[in-house]
Amino acid sequence: MNYWLLKSEPEAFSIADLARRPRRTEHWDGVRNYQARNYLREMRRGDHAFFYHSNCAVPGIAGIVSIVREGYPDFTAFDPDDPHYDPKSTPDRPRWFMVDVRHERAFERIISLQELKSFPALAGMRLLARGNRLSVMPVTAAEWSAILSLE
DNA sequence: GCCAACGTTGGC
DNA sequence: GCCAACGTTGGC
């Protein structure tokens, strides 16, 4: 099993929103960055991911989701009315992909970015790299368990 | 709201 | 293929 981190602005879609979806499952759409897209396509059913809240009062990790459907074309790219519309992505030649994620659990508290930064075991974490803007990224098994120990 | 960092676009 | 201009991300 591999580990990942997925960013979302909670004002747009939070971990609580995911918990309220039917079967606590939703597609993870709107990724429009090639590196992030490639990571989405590497995800396998049963992989786990942290749900990270970005661009909000207390940015940090809010809980855990699992991958329940592997990469398939992101249909929001085909919709001219969608904010993530991309005319260069077509059903015949889809450029962007998404996965389906299921809510596993929300943490009792947000493990804040500030706290992650202060934890030496996480010094090399991709999320904390200078200037990092990726919204989908891998997490190592060591980082995963270190973060769980902070909970 | 500011702005640093980064990715993408497009002229050449 | 270079690189300036532009748009976006996301912490603060």
Side-chain angles (χ1 to χ4, degrees):
Chain A
M1 175 168 66
N2 286 312
Y3 299 105
W4 308 92
L5 183 142
L6 296 165
K7 289 185 190 172
S8 180
E9 302 191 10
E11 205 164 294
F13 186 67
S14 72
I15 195 166
D17 293 328
L18 179 59
R20 286 191 289 266
R21 290 293 197 269
R23 292 182 306 284
R24 302 160 78 84
T25 297
E26 187 56 279
H27 51 267
W28 199 269
D29 62 273
V31 172
R32 298 291 181 269
N33 169 282
Y34 287 105
Q35 197 172 6
R37 185 225 31 207
N38 293 342
Y39 286 137
L40 283 177
R41 298 188 73 173
E42 288 176 28
M43 292 182 181
R44 293 295 168 257
R45 211 179 141 77
D47 284 357
H48 281 182
F50 287 129
F51 193 123
Y52 180 89
H53 284 176
S54 67
N55 204 16
C56 55
V58 184
I61 298 173
I64 293 172
V65 302
S66 62
I67 308 305
V68 294
R69 182 176 174 190
E70 297 180 6
Y72 61 105
D74 182 339
F75 50 78
T76 67
F78 309 146
D79 177 3
D81 294 326
D82 191 279
H84 298 294
Y85 174 59
D86 181 356
K88 291 175 183 164
S89 188
T90 65
D92 282 350
R93 298 193 65 182
R95 173 174 297 198
W96 305 114
F97 286 76
M98 57 189 179
V99 296
D100 286 356
V101 301
R102 185 178 65 210
H103 181 283
E104 292 298 326
R105 66 190 179 90
F107 292 156
E108 294 285 321
R109 63 186 184 88
I110 301 280
I111 301 176
S112 71
L113 178 62
Q114 186 184 17
E115 185 173 358
L116 297 171
K117 281 178 175 172
S118 70
F119 195 48
L122 299 176
M125 197 180 176
R126 184 77 167 272
L127 177 72
L128 307 180
R130 191 176 107 103
N132 171 62
R133 293 188 336 196
L134 266 189
S135 66
V136 178
M137 71 191 84
V139 171
T140 69
E143 290 161 354
W144 184 270
S145 49
I147 289 166
L148 290 184
S149 78
L150 290 173
E151 199 184 347

